Amino acid sequence: MADLVNLTIDGVPVAVPKGTNIVDAAKRIGNDIPVFCYHPKLRQVGMCRMCLVEVGTPRMDPATKQIVKGEDGKPVIAWMPKLQTACTTPVSEGMAVRTQTPQVLAARKDILEFLLTSHPLDCPICDKGGECPLQNLTLAHGPGMSRFEYEAKHHDEKHVPLGDLIYLDRERCIQCSRCIRFQDDLADDHVLQFHERGRNMEIVTLSDPPFNSFFSGNTTDICPVGALTTADFRFKARAWELQGTPSLCTHCPVGCNLTLNTRLETHTGGYEVKRVMPRQNEQVNEIWLCDKGRFVHHFTRAADRLTHPLLRNAGGTLVESTWEAALQRIADRTLGKPITGIAGDRIANEDAYLFAGLLRTVASKGSLISMAPAMATYYADLARAYGVGKDTDFNQLGKGDVILLVNGDLEEAAPVWFLRLRQAVVTRGARLIVANDHTTKMHRYAGQTESYQLGNAANWASTRAAVLAEELKGARHLLIVFSDEKLSTSGVRSLAISLASVLVQSGHAGKSNSGLLPLYPHGNTQGVSDMTSPQPWPDRAEAVWLIGVGEGEGVPQAPFTIVQDLFQTRLAEQADVVLPALSFAEREGTFTSGDRRVQRFYQALPAMGQAMPDWWIVQEVAKRLGATWNYQNTAQIFTEISQHIPAYAGLSYEAISHTEDQWPLVGRGDLYYGGTVYDNTGGLGLRYPADAERADFHADVHLDTPPEVTIEAVQRVRRRLYEDGELIRRSKVLAAHIVNSVTEVPQAA
Amino acid sequence: MSSFEETVSRLLKIPVGYATVLRNLFSKPVTLQYPEQKKPMSARFRGRHHLKRYDDGLEKCIGCALCAAACPADAIYVEADQNTNAERYSPGERYAKTYEINMLRCIFCGYCEDACPTNAIVLEPIEFPTGYTREGMIYTKSMLLEAPPNGVPTTPQATQPGKFDRSIVPYPPVDASV
């Protein structure tokens, strides 16, 4: 790497990139300099003074401008007279740092004694207890006894709701401002601020409604004490009682890596998800999560989950039944008849693959597979062909790069991509072009904004494509983010074609850090499309089988309907057979994120009732229709996927569960450095190459002239993060945040 | 020894046996009809657990689960919840909603007592847990919690805002002169 700087820390030589600070440099060689206010992802402020070290630089002879050498031939170090904050001191050539001298150790001890003068002794009831940087650093560096009287301590409010998701304990706060800096610098929601000064300094929220941010939960992870706690996890369990299982978020295309923290419960008679924590993946979500991903998990143990198969009896009511009876009923009613299968976009790749296999090869002729939402059928293939390059890393987007955001509210549709792409624009200098019919948060950072009439994105793109392509030829990389919201099926097809042609004509197709980035509605839209090559929904069918469709509208009418889901949805109430499926937390599988990263999730909870994984149900039906399938687990199915789906060639469970050290190192024993984020033990996932990156790809295959789109005056939904739905409805903490979809009616052309 | 002598010697032992039985029949038994009869225990004997209350009737237990963490037999299960001024169980924000000890697993080591930051759990020499079913040996919070002092209301109590903000005050009070 260019521009390396050499220094020694406690006599150990280390070479780090220019601009690194001493804390990070020491971390590279395993020397943990204690910090509270410093966080590797945040701007450093040097407020807590915990990182004080002795710093010296080589002595320079003022006359000769040469470094003075001692008798041993080594440069003489001029030590600074006072201790320096390691977090705000950048390294320099020849610098020497001492972190273990009596002066440094005394400083650490004193800082901790100062911090503890106003910190309550309520570790036993504190949610951070057991994973608390202040606890750990006090044990390692602090005094064993306090010289402060309890009554002389600073007492403050202990129960301050900062909004309905986060509680503040003013007594525990050590005023490190990590939460303020996260909200200001990364989330760009200026909702927290310091109030008053000195001993009276406290955190206040400025916004109305209070702490109004999609990212508020992250502040509890990076809080070095128990000052910020979530309403969801408050007093729910102690940190040491929790078991962590690597998992994935399914609610938006980002595919955030999670750790599900579970604990045995008496009232549910089994394990329960107590909280959702981010799992570090620098390629996906770094160490962040949005509040939806963090708090929506309650549906996994909702009391109204389907636990038994239901069959419609002669009287026309749905009654509890057995798997044997339900599967036999399906086989009896569908043998020799074509089935229309609709796969929801939150089921695993393995489920979708078997489902497609059943409909193509086992069920009788005329069967077909579609996906829900049907909209994705019209552009997922283009996203696969012209999607972001295999080695794309959003952290590398910066100066010279262009991000084109068309027709979508990035923060509402994919909050963590908002955080990451905003960083590329704001701190690393990428150019942002936003085109939309209404103002979104991303407009704040746009170098260029374009607007069009409501619902008119496709026609805007087809008229502007040639000009944009010409303009963007000079860009180093070109990332095109787009959404299907407020478009008709022909509209989204046209938009995707226009944007792909911008990519091709500007010479960015098939390159890393460039490509289409679709804002799909859910976590596995790309994967289900890859597995099924879906067809448009028919109007009518002889038999319809819906897997994980939820509340889909406009489902084809049929004399026989099977609904396979988690809940007794509106569709399930009309069905002839209702099959209980397992949620993502109760099984294994893989999801493919919106940027085509194939990732694994693991089983964290035991099954609910008699519910079974989707792939098992599909296989059992297939057996009764005459297939000789015998899949034992999802790994076996994935092996077959990698053999039969060309894009997935070379992928395997072993390959996608590969992990490696990621910088910054967080989530290990050193909670003080990165917060309570979990280390990634479940796998970093792998992105499969876009078709355009393959040698035998012909650029003009899909790019016929985009169809002219007539705007229809029908209601179109603007997608929102907290959109009402079957899953979010089961989360009490998010209840106040649920919004009804905003419907808008474009003017007919 | 001939077989005749052997037989006589064995026969003579029979009355010796009867004498032993007769003697013990009229002596004082060493066993007790526990739990109807109890034996005085040393003051430091670790018998069954009790959850203590403060003089004002509030529970000392704050649901911190440190006892469960310290328990080598994994016999303690705690679920915490949040106090409100309208329904207050203990001082501070947290109380134990569920508190169970599986007496069959408990080894009466007293580590829970050591770990308790509020001296809420005490193993007292009063009794030793007994029962006829396994389920009955899981002692719930209502079985463990002692009755409030005479004339004091039980929990939950309605309390004044600001009076019981904190769970823990130093115990014993710190002597600042040392």
Side-chain angles (χ1 to χ4, degrees):
Chain A
M1 205 189 288
D3 281 346
L4 281 186
V5 176
N6 294 293
L7 69 158
T8 59
I9 300 174
D10 289 342
V12 183
V14 55
V16 291
K18 200 177 163 186
T20 309
N21 61 57
I22 297 175
V23 175
D24 284 352
K27 190 83 186 164
R28 299 250 178 204
I29 50 167
N31 186 339
D32 287 355
I33 297 175
V35 291
F36 286 115
C37 73
Y38 176 68
H39 188 283
K41 295 270 181 199
L42 301 174
R43 171 170 54 92
Q44 54 268 60
V45 286
M47 288 170 68
C48 71
R49 319 308 286 176
M50 190 62 199
C51 62
L52 291 173
V53 289
E54 284 187 45
V55 178
T57 46
R59 185 184 302 266
M60 195 87 81
D61 188 334
T64 61
K65 303 276 186 213
Q66 292 295 311
I67 290 171
V68 180
K69 302 237 164 128
E71 284 173 7
D72 55 356
K74 288 182 181 164
V76 175
I77 300 292
W79 293 98
M80 295 186 195
K82 284 191 170 182
L83 299 177
Q84 303 294 313
T85 47
C87 71
T88 54
T89 312
V91 295
S92 64
E93 189 62 34
M95 181 185 266
V97 179
R98 292 197 289 224
T99 70
Q100 301 296 329
T101 60
Q103 215 190 340
V104 172
L105 297 181
R108 288 176 182 172
K109 195 170 161 187
D110 293 346
I111 293 293
L112 276 165
E113 196 173 357
F114 275 129
L115 287 177
L116 293 176
T117 57
S118 57
H119 195 83
L121 295 165
D122 60 357
C123 302
I125 65 151
C126 178
D127 282 330
K128 204 81 168 188
E131 51 179 20
C132 175
L134 183 60
Q135 260 184 345
N136 289 5
L137 293 184
T138 302
L139 206 63
H141 307 284
M145 281 289 287
S146 174
R147 288 177 287 177
F148 231 66
E149 284 178 53
Y150 179 80
E151 290 310 322
K153 278 194 167 215
H154 185 73
H155 291 307
D156 220 330
E157 278 179 280
K158 291 197 65 71
H159 185 86
V160 186
L162 285 184
D164 57 346
L165 295 175
I166 307 292
Y167 284 91
L168 167 67
D169 187 316
R170 290 218 161 107
E171 224 169 57
R172 292 183 195 148
C173 178
I174 59 166
Q175 286 93 31
C176 71
S177 87
R178 273 185 180 183
C179 51
I180 297 176
R181 280 176 286 149
F182 172 80
Q183 288 298 331
D184 283 358
D185 299 349
L186 294 186
D188 198 23
D189 291 321
H190 303 270
V191 296
L192 297 181
Q193 197 48 266
F194 278 134
H195 180 60
E196 289 282 0
R197 304 183 64 181
R199 204 118 167 107
N200 297 324
M201 196 191 240
E202 59 189 30
I203 302 277
V204 291
T205 172
L206 307 169
S207 64
D208 182 29
F211 209 164
N212 186 18
S213 173
F214 287 162
F215 305 98
S216 62
N218 293 307
T219 59
T220 64
D221 291 342
I222 57 175
C223 182
V225 291
L228 296 175
T229 50
T230 66
D232 189 36
F233 183 62
R234 205 172 160 75
F235 305 151
K236 287 291 187 299
R238 304 314 304 266
W240 55 82
E241 298 172 338
L242 298 168
Q243 291 182 20
T245 309
S247 191
L248 295 172
C249 186
T250 66
H251 306 290
C252 88
V254 179
C256 287
N257 290 206
L258 315 173
T259 293
L260 297 179
N261 273 158
T262 55
R263 190 185 83 149
L264 198 63
E265 286 297 298
T266 48
H267 64 271
T268 52
Y271 280 84
E272 180 179 285
V273 176
K274 302 305 282 185
R275 67 172 177 182
V276 171
M277 295 295 277
R279 174 164 60 102
Q280 186 186 25
N281 190 333
E282 291 296 317
Q283 294 294 313
V284 181
N285 55 324
E286 301 183 24
I287 57 169
W288 313 121
L289 274 188
C290 74
D291 287 353
K292 184 178 185 184
R294 195 182 288 265
F295 298 128
V296 81
H297 62 85
H298 293 272
F299 68 87
T300 55
R301 275 292 177 268
D304 58 345
R305 275 276 301 275
L306 291 170
T307 52
H308 291 82
L310 305 177
L311 280 182
R312 196 165 291 281
N313 65 11
T317 48
L318 280 173
V319 288
E320 254 182 39
S321 178
T322 60
W323 275 111
E324 192 47 51
L327 294 168
Q328 200 53 51
R329 171 84 63 94
I330 295 170
D332 292 345
R333 293 290 301 268
T334 57
L335 199 63
K337 284 186 196 145
I339 309 172
T340 295
I342 299 183
D345 57 353
R346 272 188 275 213
I347 66 173
N349 289 333
E350 290 80 357
D351 308 332
Y353 175 78
L354 280 202
F355 196 34
L358 179 135
L359 295 169
R360 296 245 161 77
T361 62
V362 182
S364 82
K365 223 169 147 60
S367 296
L368 64 95
I369 182 157
S370 309
M371 70 179 288
M375 198 68 120
T377 315
Y378 300 88
Y379 64 101
D381 58 329
L382 281 164
R384 183 162 60 240
Y386 296 100
V388 291
K390 182 174 185 294
D391 298 320
T392 298
D393 179 0
F394 292 165
N395 293 337
Q396 285 171 13
L397 290 177
K399 217 161 181 55
D401 300 335
V402 176
I403 299 169
L404 173 61
L405 173 57
V406 183
N407 191 41
D409 189 334
L410 190 58
E411 200 197 19
E412 298 269 3
V416 171
W417 278 349
F418 163 82
L419 284 186
R420 304 193 64 205
L421 295 181
R422 183 186 167 274
Q423 283 297 299
V425 176
V426 174
T427 60
R428 295 194 298 273
R431 198 164 105 84
L432 175 68
I433 306 173
V434 182
N436 210 327
D437 59 37
H438 66 284
T439 309
T440 67
K441 200 164 159 188
M442 280 307 263
H443 277 76
R444 297 180 194 173
Y445 327 111
Q448 183 181 338
T449 56
E450 309 225 359
S451 66
Y452 44 78
Q453 291 269 305
L454 177 64
N456 216 356
N459 291 341
W460 170 85
S462 64
T463 41
R464 291 280 287 139
V467 184
L468 277 172
E470 194 57 37
E471 271 179 35
L472 299 174
K473 265 189 181 144
R476 193 173 62 154
H477 301 119
L478 173 62
L479 185 70
I480 303 181
V481 190
F482 71 101
S483 159
D484 62 9
E485 67 176 23
K486 290 182 278 185
L487 289 174
S488 59
T489 51
S490 59
V492 71
R493 182 81 197 162
S494 164
L495 175 67
I497 291 174
S498 301
L499 296 177
S501 70
V502 170
L503 203 67
V504 173
Q505 284 162 25
S506 64
H508 290 98
K511 303 246 171 77
S512 280
N513 296 326
S514 298
L516 297 184
L517 189 65
L519 297 175
Y520 289 124
H522 295 124
N524 200 28
T525 317
Q526 184 70 56
V528 171
S529 165
D530 293 346
M531 295 302 130
T532 58
S533 306
Q535 289 168 271
W537 288 13
D539 293 330
R540 278 200 65 80
E542 294 224 29
V544 173
W545 186 351
L546 308 166
I547 300 187
V549 173
E551 294 177 318
E553 302 233 336
V555 169
Q557 294 293 313
F560 184 68
T561 310
I562 308 159
V563 169
Q564 188 169 322
D565 218 315
L566 300 182
F567 296 104
Q568 183 74 346
T569 58
R570 197 172 38 78
L571 288 171
E573 271 157 23
Q574 312 294 327
D576 298 284
V577 180
V578 180
L579 303 173
L582 289 183
S583 74
F584 78 109
E586 293 146 359
R587 45 164 297 180
E588 274 202 89
T590 59
F591 290 137
T592 306
S593 70
D595 58 337
R596 304 189 329 284
R597 180 174 287 273
V598 186
Q599 305 185 99
R600 252 183 105 172
F601 60 96
Y602 300 79
Q603 183 181 357
L605 298 172
M608 184 110 174
Q610 292 181 13
M612 292 303 268
D614 293 309
W615 64 265
W616 181 90
I617 302 170
V618 171
Q619 166 166 283
E620 288 304 307
V621 171
K623 279 182 186 166
R624 282 166 179 77
L625 294 178
T628 51
W629 292 0
N630 188 21
Y631 299 103
Q632 301 295 317
N633 50 40
T634 50
Q636 203 183 342
I637 304 171
F638 195 81
T639 309
E640 208 178 294
I641 290 173
S642 67
Q643 288 159 1
H644 288 97
I645 308 274
Y648 288 67
L651 295 178
S652 66
Y653 268 24
E654 290 74 28
I656 60 176
S657 359
H658 162 78
T659 57
E660 59 189 28
D661 277 1
Q662 303 176 82
W663 190 260
L665 296 171
V666 301
R668 302 186 181 180
D670 50 356
L671 296 161
Y672 69 91
Y673 185 65
T676 42
V677 184
Y678 275 71
D679 193 11
N680 199 328
T681 53
L684 300 173
L686 275 178
R687 184 183 289 127
Y688 65 80
D691 296 346
E693 287 177 281
R694 294 176 197 276
D696 56 349
F697 180 72
H698 301 293
D700 51 0
V701 172
H702 299 292
L703 300 182
D704 34 3
T705 325
E708 177 66 20
V709 180
T710 0
I711 310 295
E712 300 157 64
V714 285
Q715 289 206 328
R716 302 282 183 206
V717 176
R718 187 199 289 186
R719 203 169 295 144
R720 307 287 296 274
L721 182 66
Y722 296 128
E723 209 167 82
D724 191 15
E726 284 288 338
L727 305 185
I728 197 170
R729 227 171 280 157
R730 267 94 189 165
S731 175
K732 270 187 211 142
V733 282
L734 285 180
H737 295 256
I738 296 177
V739 284
N740 287 320
S741 313
V742 183
T743 51
E744 296 168 303
V745 184
Q747 276 190 324
Chain B
M1 209 188 283
S2 73
S3 66
F4 173 74
E5 285 171 340
E6 200 177 304
T7 309
V8 170
S9 138
R10 282 184 183 173
L11 282 173
L12 284 176
K13 280 179 182 161
I14 291 172
V16 174
Y18 277 121
T20 308
V21 170
L22 276 170
R23 198 169 56 244
N24 279 304
L25 207 57
F26 299 106
S27 68
K28 203 178 164 215
V30 290
T31 53
L32 280 180
Q33 289 301 316
Y34 190 86
E36 287 79 23
Q37 294 174 357
K38 283 174 188 157
K39 200 177 167 186
M41 290 293 181
S42 107
R44 296 174 64 179
F45 179 81
R46 293 192 297 268
R48 88 161 241 206
H49 317 64
H50 289 259
L51 289 174
K52 296 287 178 186
R53 288 179 193 265
Y54 291 106
D55 291 343
D56 56 11
L58 287 181
E59 297 160 16
K60 283 188 173 178
C61 176
I62 51 172
C64 72
L66 287 176
C67 46
C71 182
D74 201 7
I76 306 182
Y77 176 80
V78 184
E79 270 176 35
D81 210 339
Q82 191 163 319
N83 278 316
T84 58
N85 284 316
E87 274 192 27
R88 180 167 295 285
Y89 292 83
S90 64
E93 292 173 85
R94 185 178 179 133
Y95 77 97
K97 183 177 67 179
T98 307
Y99 193 105
E100 289 174 0
I101 300 181
N102 186 342
M103 293 297 178
L104 293 174
R105 294 189 78 156
C106 178
I107 57 168
F108 302 92
C109 64
Y111 282 11
C112 46
E113 214 174 336
D114 283 355
C116 186
T118 58
N119 294 341
I121 188 164
V122 181
L123 278 71
E124 291 190 329
I126 305 166
E127 70 188 283
F128 205 81
T130 50
Y132 292 104
T133 60
R134 288 183 171 272
E135 292 74 24
M137 291 301 278
I138 296 174
Y139 279 38
T140 58
K141 187 181 168 190
S142 57
M143 297 157 85
L144 294 164
L145 194 63
E146 63 171 27
N150 272 339
V152 173
T154 185
T155 46
Q157 299 178 0
T159 55
Q160 283 169 4
K163 197 176 170 195
F164 295 105
D165 276 355
R166 284 165 187 78
S167 305
I168 303 161
V169 291
Y171 183 89
V174 175
D175 184 355
S177 63
V178 179

